[in-house]
Every structure is written in C-alpha cells, then in structure tokens.
Amino acid sequence: MRLLATLLLLVPLAAQEPAAPAPAPGKPADQAAPPPATQTATPPAAQLAAQPAAQPAEAPPQTSTDNWLQGSFEVGYRWIPGGIDGNFDAYRSVVNLGQGPKLLDADFTILNPSKILFDRADVHATSWGGDPYNTLRVDIQKNKIYRLLADYRNIAYFNFLPSYADPTLSQGVQLNQNAYDTAIRTLNVQLDLLPGKWITPYVAFARNTQFGSGITEFFTDQNNYAVASLYSDQTNDYRAGVRMEMGRYHLTIEQGGTTFKDDQGASNNEPNAGNVPGLFNGQPLVLNQLQEQYRVRSNSVYTKVLGAANPFSWMTITGQFVYERPHTDVNYVQTSAGNFFLNDLFQFYSGGQDVLTGYANMPHSFGNVTVELRPWKRLRIVEFWNTDRYHNSSNALLAENLLLVGTAPLTDQQLATDRLNLNYSEEEIDAFYDVTSHLILRGGYRYVWGNTDLGAPALSGLMLETGSVRQNIGIAGVNYRLGQKFRVVADAEGSSSGQTFFRTGLQQYQKAHIRASYDVITSLHLAGDFSLLNNNNPDPTVKLDFASKVESASLFWTPKGGKWANLLLDYSRSAISSNILYLVPETLTPTPSIYKENAHALTAVVTVRWFTFGGSLFTSSGSRPTQYYQPLARFSLPLNKHIRWNTEWRWYSMSEAFYAYEDFRSNQLMTSLRFTR
Amino acid sequence: MSTRCMRNSCLQAVCSVVAGIVLALCLTIPVAAAESPGYVGSETCKTCHEEIYNNLQKTPHFAIETGARKGWEKKSCESCHGPGAKHAESASADDIRNPAKLTPVETDHTCLTCHLNQRTPGGRIASGHAKDQVGCTTCHFVHGAAGAKLVEHKKSEINARCSTCHISEWAAFNRPYKHRLPEGAMSCMDCHNPHATFSADTMRTSFGNEPGCLQCHSDKRGPFVFEHAPMRLEGCVACHEPHGSANPRMLVRHEQSLVCLECHSNVSMPSAQNAKIGGVPPAFHDLRTSRFQNCTVCHVKVHGSYVDRELLR
C-alpha cells in the first residue's frame, strides 16, 4: 500500500512540464538502518552573548511558598550629554532614544501557593518610561484549566528622512512630504481553555492601531502642496476555535472576523505655495485652504480548518484551508480653495469639492496539503500542494465640483471600476535519503503556476493587464552531521526559464545556501553561513542581471563556562549587484538602473568579569555608502546578592557620503539598578 | 455585512465544527502503547533522574503524567523515551531511547506524535527547518530549562536563539534602517513561524490568510478600491528589505524612484510569451526637476488607494 501511495504521489509530476534535474537519490533504499546520529546542540551561553547588555538567565522558580515571586526588574536613567550632534530628524528616524528615567526591564514569575485562580504567571516588560519601544507580555496559566497569553507592543514610528523626502535637498530645494510621527500599537490576547486536554477551545483578540501626525501631499495638475495629515486607523481581529488532539488525528477549526476603520485626513489653513513657487501662466498657484477626510470601514469573516493525521506509521498528512471575505466601504470628502490649474480645460479654478463613495470585495481562498511518505526507513518523500486565490472587484463614484474662474462651475461624475484577480499555485515534491547515519541527501522539484489580471494603467490604452507565472525549479540539498560537534547543511535550487509577473521577478535563477557549525571544544563554537542568489532575465527590453552574495562567520568562546569571560565575534560581508534596463520618463530612453552595495557588518563583544565592551559597526560602499557605528562599554557590579549596578555608555553615529546632511552622532550614558529576587 | 450573510457564515462554521468532531471521533485510534510490557513508570525514573523529573514537573509536559494523554498516566518519561524496564535494570544508556541522540527526523516524529497540529499551520513536515534537519530539540528544552520554560519567550532571547544559526540575517539588523529587533521590541517570531508555514521564508499569516506584515501594518491590508499589484502578487519584499537596509524606509534601492521605474518600464507590454505587469512610465514626468525626484511625493498611496486609480490620494 505504501508503494502504491508513493507512486500515486508521483503521478501529478507526469502531467507537468519537465523538471530540472534533481540529484541522485543515493544508495539503494534497502540497506540496513544506520545507527542514530546526534544533533548539534546550541551553546546556551550564545544567547547571552548575542545580547551584550543582557543579564544572566534567572534561576528556575522554586515551588516553595517562600519563593512565590521570583524575577528581576531594572530601573535607570539615560542621559544624552551634549544632545544630538547632526541631523535630529535622521537621529529620530534611526535611533530615537531619549533622556529620562526608564523601567528598562521587568521579568518575574509568580507561583501562586494557593493555586486558587492561577498556578503561575510570567510577566515580562521592556523599555517603559518614555522610550519609543515598549513591550509587555503576560502569561497566566492554571494547570488543565486555562492559559491566558497577552502580548502588547507600542512602537513609536518617527520617519522624516530628508534624503527620502527630497533627494535634491542639497540643491537647496525643500520638499517636506512623506513624514510620519505616529505610534503603532499591537495587542494580541489568546485564552486557551483546558490546555493539554484532547479538546482545547480557544478565543483570541488582536488589535492594531496607528495614530499620529505627518506630512502628506495635496496634488493638483501643475503643483503639489505639502500639507499636515492626521492618521488614525484601527483593526480588530476576533477569532475563536477548537483544537482537537486525538491520537493519530489532529484538527483545528477556527472562525474569525475583523473590523477596520481608517479616519485619516489632511488639512491646510494658510497660503501654501507648494513645490512650484512662482508664476504659472502669469498667476501664482497657491493653496489657501484644504480639508480632506477619509472614512473607510472594512470587515471580513474567515474560516480556517487545519488537519493533521498519521493514519499509518509510514504516512503523515497535513492540510489547511482558509476562506475569508473582506469588504471595504469608502467615503471620502475633499474641499480645497486657492488658485489651481486644470490641464484638461487649460483653465484656472479657485476651489473645488470632491466626494467619493466606493467599495471593494475580495474573497480570498487559501489551501494546502502536505503528504509525507516513509516507504523505507531511509527514504522520505514529501509532496506539497498549495493554492492561493483572490479576486478583488471594486468600484467608486466620484462627484467633482470645480469653481472655474470666469465661467460657470464644472460638475462632473465619474464611475470607476477596478479588479485584481490572482490564481497562484505551487506543487513540490522532495525526496530525503539517509545515505548514512551522518549524511542525508535531498532532491526535489517545484512547479509554480498562476495568472493574474488587473486594471491597466491609463496610458497603456488597455482595459486590463494580464500576467502569468510559470516556473520549473530543481531542488537539491545535503545535510551532514558528525556527532554533536559538526554540522553542514547545503541547499540549492534553480530555474532555467519561465515566466514571472514583474520585470524584477525571479526568472532564470540559481540559489544556494550553505550553513555550518563546529564545536571545536566545549567552550568554543564556530559557525559559518554562505548564501548566493543569481537572477537573470535576458529579455532585450529588460536585461536583468542580479547577483547577491552573503558570507558570515561567527565565533563564540566561553572559557570555563563563561563564568569570568567570554567573547563573541560575528562578521558578515554582503555584496549586491543589480543591473536592469528602465525607461527614463522624460525621454523614454532605455537606460541601465545600476545598484551596487558592498557591505561589512561586525559585532564584537568581550566580557571580562564586570566589564563588557565592544559593539557593532556597519559600513557599505556602492550606490549609497553608509557608515553606522554602535560601540558600547558596560560596567556591571554586584552590590549584594540581590542588587546589581549597571552603567553603560553607547555611541550612535551614522554618516552617508552622498547625503552628509543626514549625519548624526550621539553619546548616551545610562546607569541603572537591577533588583533580583 | 447583511444579516443573511452573517447567518450563513455562522451556519457554515457550526456545520464545520460538528462535521470535524464527528469525523475526528470516527477516526480516532486508541493509544495502547503504554499498556505494553516493559514500562516502569516515572517514579522509577525519578529515583536516578530526580533533577530532570523536578524540572519536568514545572513544565506543561508534566500534564502527561497526570493523564492529559490517555494511556500515559504516570508514564510521562516513557511517553518519549519508550519502555524503561531494561534500562532501569541495567542502568545502561544503551538500553533506553534518547530522543536527543536520535536523528532530527526521528526526534521530530516523537514530538509530532502529540504536536502535529499545534500552532503549526500546515504541519511541521514541510517547514524549512524540517528540510534542513533542524529538530525540535534544537530550540526546545523538553524537560524545561531555566525558568522551567520549554522555549524562550522573551523577545531578546528568541532573537539570540535564532541568530545562533541565522548569522547573516541577524547581521542585517546592524544596518541603520531596520525593524526594531536589536532593541528588543520585536522578535524573529513576530514575522516568522519557525514550525511551518506555506508562505515563503516561513512568514506568518495574519487575519486568516493575509501576510504576517499586516499584523502590525494593518492599514496596508485593504482591500483597496484601487490596488497596487505588487502588494498582492509579491508582497512587501517586492520593494522592502525587511531585515534591514542602508536605504531609507528599508527600500531595495538607494533612490525611491528607481524602485518604481524598474517595474514601470514596459514598452512592448504585453507580449504574448512573457507578459510583464507594470505598464509604462508617464512621459511628462521630468525627473530632472526636484518635484519628480521621488514618485511617492505625489503618489502618496503607493500601497493601494481607496480613492484614486493613480494612487495620488
């Protein structure tokens, strides 16, 4: 039966285009089973070293009533002596740390001796007290009754990069568009009932909000104006389901729904000359007043079913199906006053009002099935099929009223419809063969196909654009392990021809990835990583030639268990080269767009007793040469068994060769006390 | 949404749940392995492995001991290690199954006996980690580690765990424009599901089957009246480097206009053999002027617009 099932899996391949060659499967499958190999364990101390400022892991909580509360918290104060040297907006966009008292970290566990409402609660919070990134995680559980998990994150998103808003700033032209000063807050709460039982119902709620201010754009035919904007949107996600674990069969059924509202707007209440100051046809183009208001409401319901089964010891099947049906309603009003120009009528107008109502529906289906067969002990065959389909249809009615200068007002109504359909599928089959207990070979083939049609740009003269994707991809891999000390994983895949949706998509490409780790001695861990991607599109109108290469190495040394000293070194070198033809808009002349980046990233941290020093640096050359340095020095002195005094100095420095006006430097000094119970 | 639609949805959901339960119950095969001879019970294991047993007691895995899995009461150790009578007698490591010393595939299958469907949409067997033979015990401490945890929960600890192997990915966060992982505000798992997904690079999904990026950037979710195709067809990575970039807004190019123009440069579009989406650049844009240096100065709704086909508002 297993042979029959294996053959059945292979049948679909016969109906497809020829596959790229896969590697030989190795030795015959009926060899004796190899002795078991061992896995490479991750050095536990590596976690600490990767976070140079982190404290040692806390001791495991005890169940005795004396130790019902265990954990730590750290409070401190950060100074920025001398303030920010250089571009403050760039500093806020990249670092954004400020002065003041901070709750740097709180991490504690409550073991409830009475076990009345809960058995255990874990709370973890970071960076409260004015820092731009606040997190809180609460995990409360009562054995076999419930588990409540809540995760909150508040990220201040400030982004006002002068070079992005205006690459010609150095020429003295000030454009202010595209700035954000918002907060993005995300909350996830999930309550599992009867955890560990064969049936676990759950309910969950998630919320994502963004609010704040920024600078956006009011666009007219001959001028555009930077105007103040307010952002306010909120998404709520409600879901409930049941997870069933029944021996060899597992099933999850979930029903969910989302609501979304977006009430963003823009306004301007003073004369604004826009980005084209001066006169146009003898008159200034000026915006005196603007009110723009969006009222977007969206909702969706979705149903999710996940199943997994081990019907036989040699077969595993998993699958998932999700269907959702999002719908959006739009109301939009814009009123403006000033002096503007209308290209279509070649006439000035003094104001106008636009009112739009619209909607969009996008039913979306997603499904996949994976089957793993183990016909012989050394051989595994994994077949995977996936499909993703959505069809967005929308329309909008725009009523436009323009106050033309010298003539009667112009009233117009436009009905616009749009669509975006996607049918995308992929199928992959992989064979894994255990040549020896240390060596596993993998070969496979993936076929990707799909099509899309969508509203075409107005200048194309077409109603619809269509595109399709067809790819035959060969896959190969090797995995070698020698005990717990040495491990190498290599993967490669490639496609010799095909179709892609976009000019920049993967066409004729080769990917390779090699990862290795070696524990030279117990206290010395070495790791390396190499990845490569080449992508070409020989189409004479495209001529895409893309290459990316990343080489990384890591060393972690913890003599005598790292009790007195440890050393972490991470080095990464990356090179990106891209060359593709594009059309220069003013002449429609094909011209190569060349992007190059050669970058080095280094992290080095040395800890000796109470002192830690090192930091990280990034330096790149090419299209946007950039240097970004973050050195640090830290002194951590235990005052007694429960209190540790930490003092840290950090330096942030960014410089860009082509955009020197964005450079900044900042010294930061922080001192804190960490209390541990 | 109309009341009728809501009613239909609820009906569909209820039917799905009922059908699922009936199907699952019909297919359930009792687990009888623990009744086989050779089992000695966890108390016997505790005699020599008291520290491990005490750690296990504080973890969710101890639920097996108290009957969370039928047939394995008081045999939690042997639920993974197999019958322990021979080992108890000889005290030899060769006489007991040690999942940590099995091949990753064998270890995985031990864990997946119970965890095949838990928070692993689509199943662990198709994940990148499974293909690379990274077993469950590489990241999870089955007996409980410091804090009696089976795995790290703090964001900084999760990042440290992932970066042990993913050196290049972590190095990208040394760049100036990045997601806030080094600051501890996010973890790798906020975007990736290390167990398995069917999205590229094990990206999480959100709101049913939407890309995981939208969990925090839900204002880009739509559906928009006027969509921007790359958002749907290739996702955020068509224009952004999510791990980090030297370019503002984590863009894939140093100048924003080139991000757009590399796609919007089709002359012979659409050719029958190899159609490309993206159209042609509007000829009246003179990039020599400051006003047109950055496409998103005017096309502000580049992720999709509720109002304007040209994404101007």
Side-chain angles (χ1 to χ4, degrees):
Chain A
M1 186 173 174
R2 68 184 71 178
L3 283 175
L4 183 63
T6 307
L7 289 172
L8 280 174
L9 272 185
L10 298 171
V11 166
L13 296 177
Q16 295 167 4
E17 296 174 35
K27 294 179 183 176
D30 54 355
Q31 285 186 349
T38 53
Q39 292 179 54
T40 302
T42 305
Q47 300 169 56
L48 305 178
Q51 295 289 318
Q55 291 298 309
E58 305 304 329
Q62 303 299 310
T63 49
S64 103
T65 52
D66 295 339
N67 292 320
W68 63 274
L69 173 66
Q70 288 210 348
S72 65
F73 70 96
E74 185 172 358
V75 290
Y77 195 96
R78 183 187 295 121
W79 290 270
I80 306 184
I84 308 301
D85 183 17
N87 192 306
F88 185 60
D89 289 328
Y91 170 80
R92 286 201 66 195
S93 300
V94 175
V95 182
N96 208 14
L97 294 173
Q99 293 192 115
K102 314 285 175 192
L103 170 62
L104 298 169
D105 184 82
D107 185 12
F108 54 89
T109 299
I110 301 170
L111 297 171
N112 185 5
S114 68
K115 297 184 183 292
I116 293 175
L117 290 175
F118 65 94
D119 295 339
R120 175 189 176 121
D122 293 284
V123 178
H124 181 232
T126 57
S127 304
W128 287 84
D131 265 359
Y133 323 114
N134 323 133
T135 67
L136 174 66
R137 183 181 188 277
V138 179
D139 185 354
I140 304 172
Q141 46 194 303
K142 184 163 177 58
N143 192 25
K144 295 185 183 177
I145 305 296
Y146 74 88
R147 182 182 185 191
L148 177 66
L149 188 61
D151 190 70
Y152 172 78
R153 180 167 54 232
N154 176 21
I155 294 184
Y157 177 58
F158 182 91
N159 202 310
F160 181 22
L161 292 161
S163 67
Y164 182 80
D166 178 16
T168 59
L169 184 62
S170 57
Q171 299 167 21
V173 182
Q174 177 72 50
L175 307 177
N176 285 326
Q177 290 88 342
N178 291 290
Y180 294 92
D181 187 3
T182 63
I184 299 176
R185 293 179 177 169
T186 307
L187 170 70
N188 285 290
V189 183
Q190 177 154 337
L191 174 66
D192 287 0
L193 300 171
L194 308 175
K197 297 285 187 183
W198 75 274
I199 182 163
T200 304
Y202 63 89
V203 291
F205 170 72
R207 169 172 287 179
N208 175 236
T209 62
Q210 180 183 214
F211 59 89
S213 58
I215 301 172
T216 187
E217 180 71 20
F218 173 61
F219 177 84
T220 63
D221 279 352
Q222 290 296 335
N223 202 347
N224 50 331
Y225 309 86
V227 296
S229 60
L230 284 174
Y231 298 98
S232 174
D233 62 71
Q234 182 184 87
T235 301
N236 294 318
D237 179 34
Y238 311 86
R239 57 197 174 90
V242 61
R243 236 182 353 253
M244 287 168 282
E245 311 293 335
M246 298 159 294
R248 296 171 181 270
Y249 299 90
H250 309 252
L251 188 69
T252 299
I253 301 169
E254 182 178 296
Q255 182 71 26
T258 62
T259 61
F260 169 73
K261 65 174 183 178
D262 187 344
D263 292 320
Q264 66 175 286
S267 62
N268 182 78
N269 292 309
E270 58 188 19
N272 183 336
N275 289 335
V276 189
L279 301 180
F280 177 80
N281 275 0
Q283 295 188 32
L285 295 173
V286 63
L287 169 70
N288 292 323
Q289 194 169 41
L290 173 75
Q291 290 295 326
E292 184 182 37
Q293 185 65 46
Y294 292 77
R295 191 180 185 279
V296 180
R297 296 293 181 269
S298 175
N299 61 63
S300 73
V301 290
Y302 58 86
T303 305
K304 183 188 283 188
V305 179
L306 292 90
N310 280 317
F312 308 101
S313 62
W314 47 269
M315 175 189 269
T316 304
I317 304 172
T318 65
Q320 178 186 18
F321 177 74
V322 189
Y323 174 72
E324 76 167 332
R325 196 175 46 199
H327 170 85
T328 298
D329 285 310
V330 182
N331 287 289
Y332 171 82
V333 179
Q334 175 195 288
T335 57
S336 58
N339 192 39
F340 315 113
F341 190 79
L342 190 63
N343 284 347
D344 288 348
L345 300 178
F346 205 75
Q347 195 164 5
F348 286 94
Y349 63 101
S350 61
Q353 184 181 52
D354 289 358
V355 177
L356 178 138
T357 57
Y359 73 86
N361 285 313
M362 192 180 74
H364 184 181
S365 304
F366 176 84
N368 56 64
V369 175
T370 304
V371 180
E372 182 185 86
L373 297 180
R374 299 173 287 276
W376 297 281
K377 188 166 184 177
R378 287 176 175 233
L379 179 68
R380 287 179 297 131
I381 297 171
V382 180
E383 164 80 8
F384 156 61
W385 171 81
N386 178 42
T387 189
D388 191 7
R389 294 157 186 268
Y390 51 77
H391 299 169
N392 185 357
S393 63
S394 60
N395 71 38
L397 179 64
L398 173 66
E400 213 172 7
N401 193 357
L402 296 181
L403 301 173
L404 298 177
V405 175
T407 61
L410 174 69
T411 303
D412 188 22
Q413 284 197 344
Q414 298 167 26
L415 178 65
T417 61
D418 202 10
R419 63 189 284 186
L420 173 62
N421 295 342
L422 172 71
N423 299 306
Y424 177 90
S425 301
E426 57 184 319
E427 184 172 12
E428 180 176 330
I429 185 163
D430 290 285
F432 298 81
Y433 185 73
D434 298 358
V435 180
T436 69
S437 60
H438 306 299
L439 179 65
I440 299 172
L441 295 180
R442 170 189 166 210
Y445 162 68
R446 187 188 310 133
Y447 179 58
V448 176
W449 71 102
N451 60 73
T452 183
D453 56 89
L454 62 152
L459 285 181
S460 71
L462 301 169
M463 286 294 290
L464 287 174
E465 265 189 297
T466 59
S468 58
V469 59
R470 295 277 185 282
Q471 284 182 328
N472 292 283
I473 300 154
I475 300 166
V478 178
N479 189 300
Y480 181 77
R481 288 165 183 271
L482 193 59
Q484 294 185 346
K485 282 178 171 285
F486 183 67
R487 173 179 171 242
V488 180
V489 177
D491 282 305
E493 67 176 58
S495 175
S496 60
S497 64
Q499 288 178 285
T500 56
F501 288 136
F502 298 102
R503 303 170 92 242
T504 51
L506 289 176
Q507 182 95 6
Q508 297 178 7
Y509 76 93
Q510 302 86 42
K511 266 186 194 175
H513 195 175
I514 302 170
R515 185 172 288 143
S517 65
Y518 178 42
D519 293 338
V520 183
I521 52 178
T522 312
S523 60
L524 182 59
H525 176 76
L526 301 177
D529 194 0
F530 171 78
S531 61
L532 176 78
L533 170 63
N534 289 320
N535 182 30
N536 294 282
N537 187 338
D539 187 309
T541 65
V542 179
K543 288 188 177 172
L544 168 66
D545 185 5
F546 177 91
S548 149
K549 190 168 68 173
V550 185
E551 299 146 344
S552 301
S554 167
L555 178 152
F556 185 56
W557 185 43
T558 52
K560 296 182 179 175
K563 192 175 178 183
W564 299 101
N566 63 58
L567 166 67
L568 170 77
L569 283 175
D570 272 351
Y571 170 71
S572 182
R573 180 183 182 280
S574 61
I576 299 172
S577 169
S578 173
N579 190 335
I580 183 173
L581 287 181
Y582 80 104
L583 296 177
V584 177
E586 56 268 27
T587 60
L588 292 182
T589 311
T591 306
S593 165
I594 297 171
Y595 178 75
K596 285 190 183 300
E597 183 191 271
N598 286 295
H600 304 266
L602 174 69
T603 299
V605 179
V606 181
T607 300
V608 180
R609 186 75 166 156
W610 300 325
F611 296 93
T612 299
F613 47 92
S616 67
L617 67 85
F618 168 78
T619 176
S620 70
S621 59
S623 300
R624 192 178 180 114
T626 302
Q627 281 80 44
Y628 185 46
Y629 302 130
Q630 303 169 78
L632 70 88
R634 184 179 173 91
F635 176 65
S636 181
L637 179 69
L639 300 179
N640 64 30
K641 190 180 172 186
H642 299 290
I643 303 176
R644 182 176 279 267
W645 173 43
N646 297 320
T647 299
E648 183 180 284
W649 167 82
R650 276 180 187 256
W651 167 259
Y652 295 95
S653 166
M654 188 177 88
S655 57
E656 295 176 296
F658 299 154
Y659 306 98
Y661 50 81
E662 280 184 348
D663 294 357
F664 65 81
R665 291 153 295 283
S666 168
N667 269 302
Q668 305 199 347
L669 201 60
M670 191 160 66
T671 188
S672 62
L673 289 174
R674 186 178 189 88
F675 301 88
T676 306
R677 180 186 152 96
Chain B
M1 185 190 311
S2 70
T3 311
R4 189 172 177 182
C5 289
M6 285 288 281
R7 197 182 303 140
N8 286 342
S9 298
C10 292
L11 194 63
Q12 285 170 5
V14 170
C15 290
S16 304
V17 171
V18 172
I21 292 171
V22 171
L23 178 68
L25 288 176
C26 291
L27 295 175
T28 300
I29 297 172
V31 181
E35 305 305 324
S36 308
Y39 289 85
V40 293
S42 303
E43 284 298 321
T44 307
C45 307
K46 185 186 172 186
T47 314
C48 298
H49 305 284
E50 187 174 1
E51 191 181 342
I52 294 174
Y53 185 87
N54 289 340
N55 266 345
L56 186 75
Q57 256 186 322
K58 299 165 201 157
T59 72
H61 277 155
F62 199 68
I64 301 169
E65 187 75 8
T66 51
R69 195 152 179 252
K70 195 178 174 184
W72 292 101
E73 294 95 334
K74 301 190 185 304
K75 298 189 190 76
S76 57
C77 304
E78 290 162 301
S79 67
C80 296
H81 290 279
K86 193 176 175 189
H87 170 68
E89 199 172 307
S90 68
S92 165
D94 296 334
D95 291 335
I96 189 79
R97 182 173 179 236
N98 186 349
K101 291 185 177 177
L102 298 175
T103 63
V105 176
E106 289 168 320
T107 309
D108 286 359
H109 282 134
T110 303
C111 303
L112 295 176
T113 308
C114 294
H115 296 286
L116 193 59
N117 196 32
Q118 288 196 342
R119 304 177 200 281
T120 55
R124 150 101 180 133
I125 53 177
S127 78
H129 278 159
K131 287 173 182 170
D132 286 345
Q133 315 299 312
V134 179
C136 307
T137 51
T138 306
C139 302
H140 291 274
F141 319 106
V142 178
H143 302 129
K149 289 180 289 192
L150 297 176
V151 71
E152 290 90 353
H153 292 307
K154 289 169 70 171
K155 294 180 193 302
S156 58
E157 290 176 353
I158 293 169
N159 296 339
R161 166 68 59 185
C162 300
S163 63
T164 309
C165 295
H166 298 273
I167 312 166
S168 303
E169 287 77 4
W170 188 249
F173 290 101
N174 280 336
R175 292 161 181 253
Y177 307 108
K178 75 230 180 229
H179 278 109
R180 305 301 181 183
L181 274 77
E183 291 81 358
M186 296 177 67
S187 79
C188 306
M189 285 183 59
D190 287 326
C191 304
H192 300 277
N193 185 336
H195 296 132
T197 71
F198 290 111
S199 312
D201 302 317
T202 65
M203 282 297 297
R204 278 190 185 279
T205 52
S206 60
F207 309 125
N209 51 4
E210 303 285 347
C213 311
L214 301 175
Q215 180 76 27
C216 296
H217 302 281
S218 60
D219 57 314
K220 315 286 189 300
R221 181 183 175 216
F224 296 102
V225 176
F226 302 101
E227 299 274 359
H228 192 199
M231 277 282 292
R232 298 290 178 198
L233 306 184
E234 293 208 332
C236 307
V237 293
C239 303
H240 297 281
E241 291 277 7
H243 289 153
S245 172
N247 305 317
R249 307 274 165 104
M250 294 188 271
L251 289 176
V252 294
R253 295 290 177 268
H254 58 300
E255 287 182 19
Q256 185 279 329
S257 58
L258 292 174
V259 178
C260 302
L261 290 171
E262 288 189 3
C263 278
H264 290 280
S265 287
N266 287 326
V267 175
S268 56
M269 182 279 303
S271 70
Q273 287 301 311
N274 199 358
K276 294 286 185 293
I277 302 164
V280 295
F284 52 81
H285 283 176
D286 186 350
L287 260 62
R288 289 166 298 188
T289 65
S290 294
R291 189 186 174 202
F292 296 119
Q293 287 288 314
N294 181 329
C295 306
T296 58
V297 162
C298 297
H299 299 278
V300 288
K301 300 299 181 190
V302 70
H303 298 108
S305 171
Y306 295 111
V307 177
D308 188 77
R309 187 189 293 277
E310 309 300 332
L311 314 180
L312 293 166
R313 53 184 176 175

